[in-house]
PDB file of all heavy atoms in Angstrom:
ATOM      1  N   TYR A   1      33.766  47.989 -19.517  1.00  0.00           N
ATOM      2  CA  TYR A   1      32.423  48.087 -19.020  1.00  0.00           C
ATOM      3  C   TYR A   1      31.324  48.104 -20.121  1.00  0.00           C
ATOM      4  O   TYR A   1      31.662  48.531 -21.213  1.00  0.00           O
ATOM      5  CB  TYR A   1      32.304  49.410 -18.200  1.00  0.00           C
ATOM      6  CG  TYR A   1      33.378  49.641 -17.179  1.00  0.00           C
ATOM      7  CD1 TYR A   1      34.410  50.485 -17.394  1.00  0.00           C
ATOM      8  CD2 TYR A   1      33.415  48.796 -16.059  1.00  0.00           C
ATOM      9  CE1 TYR A   1      35.469  50.634 -16.436  1.00  0.00           C
ATOM     10  CE2 TYR A   1      34.388  48.988 -15.067  1.00  0.00           C
ATOM     11  CZ  TYR A   1      35.428  49.872 -15.362  1.00  0.00           C
ATOM     12  OH  TYR A   1      36.504  49.859 -14.426  1.00  0.00           O
ATOM     13  N   ASP A   2      30.221  47.549 -19.769  1.00  0.00           N
ATOM     14  CA  ASP A   2      29.110  47.561 -20.771  1.00  0.00           C
ATOM     15  C   ASP A   2      27.846  47.791 -19.935  1.00  0.00           C
ATOM     16  O   ASP A   2      27.808  47.584 -18.794  1.00  0.00           O
ATOM     17  CB  ASP A   2      28.983  46.206 -21.563  1.00  0.00           C
ATOM     18  CG  ASP A   2      28.794  45.084 -20.612  1.00  0.00           C
ATOM     19  OD1 ASP A   2      27.754  44.808 -20.237  1.00  0.00           O
ATOM     20  OD2 ASP A   2      29.857  44.436 -20.165  1.00  0.00           O
ATOM     21  N   GLU A   3      26.832  48.370 -20.731  1.00  0.00           N
ATOM     22  CA  GLU A   3      25.581  48.683 -19.943  1.00  0.00           C
ATOM     23  C   GLU A   3      24.884  47.509 -19.441  1.00  0.00           C
ATOM     24  O   GLU A   3      24.001  47.673 -18.560  1.00  0.00           O
ATOM     25  CB  GLU A   3      24.790  49.594 -21.042  1.00  0.00           C
ATOM     26  CG  GLU A   3      25.330  50.949 -21.351  1.00  0.00           C
ATOM     27  CD  GLU A   3      24.466  51.802 -22.206  1.00  0.00           C
ATOM     28  OE1 GLU A   3      23.444  51.156 -22.695  1.00  0.00           O
ATOM     29  OE2 GLU A   3      24.861  52.936 -22.504  1.00  0.00           O
ATOM     30  N   ASP A   4      25.008  46.459 -20.175  1.00  0.00           N
ATOM     31  CA  ASP A   4      24.365  45.178 -19.694  1.00  0.00           C
ATOM     32  C   ASP A   4      24.898  44.595 -18.352  1.00  0.00           C
ATOM     33  O   ASP A   4      24.384  43.589 -17.900  1.00  0.00           O
ATOM     34  CB  ASP A   4      24.238  44.165 -20.760  1.00  0.00           C
ATOM     35  CG  ASP A   4      23.384  44.728 -21.999  1.00  0.00           C
ATOM     36  OD1 ASP A   4      22.528  45.622 -21.858  1.00  0.00           O
ATOM     37  OD2 ASP A   4      23.731  44.376 -23.238  1.00  0.00           O
ATOM     38  N   GLY A   5      26.086  45.011 -18.017  1.00  0.00           N
ATOM     39  CA  GLY A   5      26.732  44.450 -16.716  1.00  0.00           C
ATOM     40  C   GLY A   5      27.369  43.150 -17.047  1.00  0.00           C
ATOM     41  O   GLY A   5      27.689  42.318 -16.229  1.00  0.00           O
ATOM     42  N   ALA A   6      27.633  42.785 -18.319  1.00  0.00           N
ATOM     43  CA  ALA A   6      28.373  41.468 -18.664  1.00  0.00           C
ATOM     44  C   ALA A   6      29.686  41.356 -18.001  1.00  0.00           C
ATOM     45  O   ALA A   6      30.143  40.358 -17.724  1.00  0.00           O
ATOM     46  CB  ALA A   6      28.376  41.148 -20.082  1.00  0.00           C
ATOM     47  N   TRP A   7      30.326  42.506 -17.835  1.00  0.00           N
ATOM     48  CA  TRP A   7      31.717  42.418 -17.360  1.00  0.00           C
ATOM     49  C   TRP A   7      31.989  42.007 -15.983  1.00  0.00           C
ATOM     50  O   TRP A   7      32.997  41.703 -15.543  1.00  0.00           O
ATOM     51  CB  TRP A   7      32.314  43.993 -17.547  1.00  0.00           C
ATOM     52  CG  TRP A   7      31.586  45.008 -16.792  1.00  0.00           C
ATOM     53  CD1 TRP A   7      30.469  45.525 -17.078  1.00  0.00           C
ATOM     54  CD2 TRP A   7      32.034  45.503 -15.571  1.00  0.00           C
ATOM     55  NE1 TRP A   7      30.098  46.549 -16.052  1.00  0.00           N
ATOM     56  CE2 TRP A   7      31.021  46.529 -15.126  1.00  0.00           C
ATOM     57  CE3 TRP A   7      33.104  45.367 -14.745  1.00  0.00           C
ATOM     58  CZ2 TRP A   7      31.240  47.279 -13.966  1.00  0.00           C
ATOM     59  CZ3 TRP A   7      33.200  46.203 -13.591  1.00  0.00           C
ATOM     60  CH2 TRP A   7      32.283  47.235 -13.208  1.00  0.00           C
ATOM     61  N   VAL A   8      30.782  41.929 -15.214  1.00  0.00           N
ATOM     62  CA  VAL A   8      30.847  41.401 -13.812  1.00  0.00           C
ATOM     63  C   VAL A   8      30.261  40.112 -13.626  1.00  0.00           C
ATOM     64  O   VAL A   8      30.014  39.634 -12.580  1.00  0.00           O
ATOM     65  CB  VAL A   8      30.329  42.465 -12.884  1.00  0.00           C
ATOM     66  CG1 VAL A   8      31.106  43.740 -12.712  1.00  0.00           C
ATOM     67  CG2 VAL A   8      28.763  42.752 -13.048  1.00  0.00           C
ATOM     68  N   THR A   9      29.966  39.440 -14.716  1.00  0.00           N
ATOM     69  CA  THR A   9      29.286  38.033 -14.747  1.00  0.00           C
ATOM     70  C   THR A   9      30.513  37.046 -14.941  1.00  0.00           C
ATOM     71  O   THR A   9      31.605  37.377 -15.424  1.00  0.00           O
ATOM     72  CB  THR A   9      28.322  37.894 -15.825  1.00  0.00           C
ATOM     73  OG1 THR A   9      28.965  37.870 -17.131  1.00  0.00           O
ATOM     74  CG2 THR A   9      27.246  38.959 -15.748  1.00  0.00           C
ATOM     75  N   CYS A  10      30.179  35.771 -14.587  1.00  0.00           N
ATOM     76  CA  CYS A  10      31.150  34.697 -14.826  1.00  0.00           C
ATOM     77  C   CYS A  10      31.477  34.611 -16.394  1.00  0.00           C
ATOM     78  O   CYS A  10      32.600  34.527 -16.803  1.00  0.00           O
ATOM     79  CB  CYS A  10      30.592  33.484 -14.301  1.00  0.00           C
ATOM     80  SG  CYS A  10      30.798  33.175 -12.530  1.00  0.00           S
ATOM     81  N   GLN A  11      30.422  34.580 -17.177  1.00  0.00           N
ATOM     82  CA  GLN A  11      30.525  34.323 -18.661  1.00  0.00           C
ATOM     83  C   GLN A  11      31.048  35.545 -19.268  1.00  0.00           C
ATOM     84  O   GLN A  11      31.732  35.443 -20.389  1.00  0.00           O
ATOM     85  CB  GLN A  11      29.170  33.913 -19.239  1.00  0.00           C
ATOM     86  CG  GLN A  11      28.022  34.915 -19.031  1.00  0.00           C
ATOM     87  CD  GLN A  11      27.103  34.801 -17.804  1.00  0.00           C
ATOM     88  OE1 GLN A  11      27.692  34.368 -16.758  1.00  0.00           O
ATOM     89  NE2 GLN A  11      25.959  34.913 -17.911  1.00  0.00           N
ATOM     90  N   GLY A  12      31.111  36.705 -18.606  1.00  0.00           N
ATOM     91  CA  GLY A  12      31.559  37.803 -19.334  1.00  0.00           C
ATOM     92  C   GLY A  12      33.028  38.229 -18.775  1.00  0.00           C
ATOM     93  O   GLY A  12      33.541  39.243 -19.168  1.00  0.00           O
ATOM     94  N   SER A  13      33.503  37.474 -17.899  1.00  0.00           N
ATOM     95  CA  SER A  13      34.844  37.826 -17.396  1.00  0.00           C
ATOM     96  C   SER A  13      35.776  36.647 -17.110  1.00  0.00           C
ATOM     97  O   SER A  13      37.037  36.861 -17.168  1.00  0.00           O
ATOM     98  CB  SER A  13      34.791  38.644 -16.019  1.00  0.00           C
ATOM     99  OG  SER A  13      34.237  37.826 -15.005  1.00  0.00           O
ATOM    100  N   ILE A  14      35.339  35.453 -16.874  1.00  0.00           N
ATOM    101  CA  ILE A  14      36.210  34.263 -16.636  1.00  0.00           C
ATOM    102  C   ILE A  14      36.873  33.897 -17.940  1.00  0.00           C
ATOM    103  O   ILE A  14      38.147  33.657 -17.896  1.00  0.00           O
ATOM    104  CB  ILE A  14      35.312  33.083 -16.060  1.00  0.00           C
ATOM    105  CG1 ILE A  14      35.046  33.503 -14.598  1.00  0.00           C
ATOM    106  CG2 ILE A  14      36.225  31.889 -16.157  1.00  0.00           C
ATOM    107  CD1 ILE A  14      34.294  32.447 -13.875  1.00  0.00           C
ATOM    108  N   PRO A  15      36.267  33.942 -19.159  1.00  0.00           N
ATOM    109  CA  PRO A  15      37.054  33.606 -20.311  1.00  0.00           C
ATOM    110  C   PRO A  15      38.235  34.458 -20.518  1.00  0.00           C
ATOM    111  O   PRO A  15      39.253  34.334 -20.867  1.00  0.00           O
ATOM    112  CB  PRO A  15      36.030  33.796 -21.488  1.00  0.00           C
ATOM    113  CG  PRO A  15      34.670  33.384 -20.762  1.00  0.00           C
ATOM    114  CD  PRO A  15      34.841  34.035 -19.418  1.00  0.00           C
ATOM    115  N   GLN A  16      38.042  35.893 -20.206  1.00  0.00           N
ATOM    116  CA  GLN A  16      39.030  36.835 -20.207  1.00  0.00           C
ATOM    117  C   GLN A  16      40.220  36.658 -19.254  1.00  0.00           C
ATOM    118  O   GLN A  16      41.424  36.848 -19.532  1.00  0.00           O
ATOM    119  CB  GLN A  16      38.401  38.309 -19.991  1.00  0.00           C
ATOM    120  CG  GLN A  16      37.549  38.872 -21.116  1.00  0.00           C
ATOM    121  CD  GLN A  16      36.204  38.113 -21.278  1.00  0.00           C
ATOM    122  OE1 GLN A  16      35.697  37.458 -20.284  1.00  0.00           O
ATOM    123  NE2 GLN A  16      35.541  38.444 -22.300  1.00  0.00           N
ATOM    124  N   ALA A  17      39.771  36.216 -18.061  1.00  0.00           N
ATOM    125  CA  ALA A  17      40.884  35.824 -17.170  1.00  0.00           C
ATOM    126  C   ALA A  17      41.657  34.630 -17.570  1.00  0.00           C
ATOM    127  O   ALA A  17      42.925  34.579 -17.301  1.00  0.00           O
ATOM    128  CB  ALA A  17      40.140  35.467 -15.687  1.00  0.00           C
ATOM    129  N   LEU A  18      40.975  33.689 -18.193  1.00  0.00           N
ATOM    130  CA  LEU A  18      41.714  32.423 -18.738  1.00  0.00           C
ATOM    131  C   LEU A  18      42.553  32.820 -19.853  1.00  0.00           C
ATOM    132  O   LEU A  18      43.721  32.339 -19.873  1.00  0.00           O
ATOM    133  CB  LEU A  18      40.662  31.482 -19.170  1.00  0.00           C
ATOM    134  CG  LEU A  18      39.816  30.813 -18.044  1.00  0.00           C
ATOM    135  CD1 LEU A  18      38.666  29.932 -18.665  1.00  0.00           C
ATOM    136  CD2 LEU A  18      40.689  29.809 -17.227  1.00  0.00           C
ATOM    137  N   ILE A  19      42.092  33.616 -20.768  1.00  0.00           N
ATOM    138  CA  ILE A  19      43.006  33.950 -21.855  1.00  0.00           C
ATOM    139  C   ILE A  19      44.219  34.862 -21.376  1.00  0.00           C
ATOM    140  O   ILE A  19      45.346  34.838 -21.953  1.00  0.00           O
ATOM    141  CB  ILE A  19      42.219  34.643 -23.056  1.00  0.00           C
ATOM    142  CG1 ILE A  19      42.920  34.508 -24.338  1.00  0.00           C
ATOM    143  CG2 ILE A  19      42.005  36.097 -22.746  1.00  0.00           C
ATOM    144  CD1 ILE A  19      43.037  33.085 -24.853  1.00  0.00           C
ATOM    145  N   ALA A  20      44.068  35.607 -20.416  1.00  0.00           N
ATOM    146  CA  ALA A  20      45.112  36.316 -19.784  1.00  0.00           C
ATOM    147  C   ALA A  20      46.200  35.423 -19.207  1.00  0.00           C
ATOM    148  O   ALA A  20      47.432  35.660 -19.464  1.00  0.00           O
ATOM    149  CB  ALA A  20      44.761  37.220 -18.577  1.00  0.00           C
ATOM    150  N   PHE A  21      45.711  34.320 -18.702  1.00  0.00           N
ATOM    151  CA  PHE A  21      46.715  33.296 -18.332  1.00  0.00           C
ATOM    152  C   PHE A  21      47.419  32.552 -19.541  1.00  0.00           C
ATOM    153  O   PHE A  21      48.589  32.416 -19.634  1.00  0.00           O
ATOM    154  CB  PHE A  21      46.176  32.189 -17.427  1.00  0.00           C
ATOM    155  CG  PHE A  21      46.848  30.968 -17.235  1.00  0.00           C
ATOM    156  CD1 PHE A  21      48.096  30.839 -16.512  1.00  0.00           C
ATOM    157  CD2 PHE A  21      46.372  29.692 -17.812  1.00  0.00           C
ATOM    158  CE1 PHE A  21      48.829  29.791 -16.398  1.00  0.00           C
ATOM    159  CE2 PHE A  21      47.096  28.590 -17.628  1.00  0.00           C
ATOM    160  CZ  PHE A  21      48.283  28.562 -16.962  1.00  0.00           C
ATOM    161  N   PHE A  22      46.545  32.170 -20.370  1.00  0.00           N
ATOM    162  CA  PHE A  22      47.065  31.334 -21.590  1.00  0.00           C
ATOM    163  C   PHE A  22      48.090  32.283 -22.394  1.00  0.00           C
ATOM    164  O   PHE A  22      49.023  31.698 -22.878  1.00  0.00           O
ATOM    165  CB  PHE A  22      45.931  30.867 -22.392  1.00  0.00           C
ATOM    166  CG  PHE A  22      45.179  29.791 -21.803  1.00  0.00           C
ATOM    167  CD1 PHE A  22      43.662  29.910 -21.630  1.00  0.00           C
ATOM    168  CD2 PHE A  22      45.728  28.767 -21.206  1.00  0.00           C
ATOM    169  CE1 PHE A  22      43.011  28.951 -21.031  1.00  0.00           C
ATOM    170  CE2 PHE A  22      44.983  27.625 -20.641  1.00  0.00           C
ATOM    171  CZ  PHE A  22      43.635  27.779 -20.559  1.00  0.00           C
ATOM    172  N   ASP A  23      47.835  33.508 -22.511  1.00  0.00           N
ATOM    173  CA  ASP A  23      48.608  34.351 -23.283  1.00  0.00           C
ATOM    174  C   ASP A  23      49.751  34.980 -22.562  1.00  0.00           C
ATOM    175  O   ASP A  23      50.658  35.747 -23.178  1.00  0.00           O
ATOM    176  CB  ASP A  23      47.864  35.394 -24.022  1.00  0.00           C
ATOM    177  CG  ASP A  23      47.116  34.905 -25.250  1.00  0.00           C
ATOM    178  OD1 ASP A  23      47.211  33.790 -25.619  1.00  0.00           O
ATOM    179  OD2 ASP A  23      46.302  35.665 -25.900  1.00  0.00           O
ATOM    180  N   GLY A  24      49.900  34.609 -21.359  1.00  0.00           N
ATOM    181  CA  GLY A  24      50.999  35.209 -20.488  1.00  0.00           C
ATOM    182  C   GLY A  24      52.222  34.385 -20.657  1.00  0.00           C
ATOM    183  O   GLY A  24      52.207  33.041 -20.798  1.00  0.00           O
ATOM    184  N   ASN A  25      53.404  35.024 -20.385  1.00  0.00           N
ATOM    185  CA  ASN A  25      54.753  34.332 -20.485  1.00  0.00           C
ATOM    186  C   ASN A  25      55.324  33.880 -19.078  1.00  0.00           C
ATOM    187  O   ASN A  25      56.153  33.113 -18.958  1.00  0.00           O
ATOM    188  CB  ASN A  25      55.716  35.178 -21.173  1.00  0.00           C
ATOM    189  CG  ASN A  25      55.239  35.471 -22.586  1.00  0.00           C
ATOM    190  OD1 ASN A  25      54.851  34.480 -23.399  1.00  0.00           O
ATOM    191  ND2 ASN A  25      55.323  36.691 -23.016  1.00  0.00           N
ATOM    192  N   ASN A  26      54.771  34.559 -18.050  1.00  0.00           N
ATOM    193  CA  ASN A  26      55.148  34.317 -16.747  1.00  0.00           C
ATOM    194  C   ASN A  26      54.213  34.955 -15.748  1.00  0.00           C
ATOM    195  O   ASN A  26      53.142  35.469 -16.207  1.00  0.00           O
ATOM    196  CB  ASN A  26      56.641  35.011 -16.465  1.00  0.00           C
ATOM    197  CG  ASN A  26      56.674  36.416 -16.912  1.00  0.00           C
ATOM    198  OD1 ASN A  26      55.935  37.254 -16.391  1.00  0.00           O
ATOM    199  ND2 ASN A  26      57.542  36.654 -17.780  1.00  0.00           N
ATOM    200  N   PHE A  27      54.441  34.848 -14.385  1.00  0.00           N
ATOM    201  CA  PHE A  27      53.482  35.269 -13.526  1.00  0.00           C
ATOM    202  C   PHE A  27      53.164  36.771 -13.765  1.00  0.00           C
ATOM    203  O   PHE A  27      51.842  37.134 -13.761  1.00  0.00           O
ATOM    204  CB  PHE A  27      53.907  35.021 -12.052  1.00  0.00           C
ATOM    205  CG  PHE A  27      52.840  35.568 -11.059  1.00  0.00           C
ATOM    206  CD1 PHE A  27      51.827  34.673 -10.791  1.00  0.00           C
ATOM    207  CD2 PHE A  27      53.058  36.764 -10.396  1.00  0.00           C
ATOM    208  CE1 PHE A  27      50.923  35.328  -9.765  1.00  0.00           C
ATOM    209  CE2 PHE A  27      52.068  37.209  -9.544  1.00  0.00           C
ATOM    210  CZ  PHE A  27      50.999  36.486  -9.228  1.00  0.00           C
TER     211      PHE A  27
END
């Protein structure tokens, strides 16, 4: 969480979702 609310924006959470996939070994 951050005071500016970036954590609920596309630019503040979609790259994180993508890297979760890329750095994952299975589902």
Side-chain angles (χ1 to χ4, degrees):
Y1 309 105
D2 59 86
E3 293 182 358
D4 295 330
W7 61 282
V8 293
T9 66
C10 284
Q11 57 271 39
S13 62
I14 289 181
Q16 286 74 14
L18 290 168
I19 204 65
F21 163 68
F22 291 129
D23 280 358
N25 298 315
N26 52 55
F27 178 83

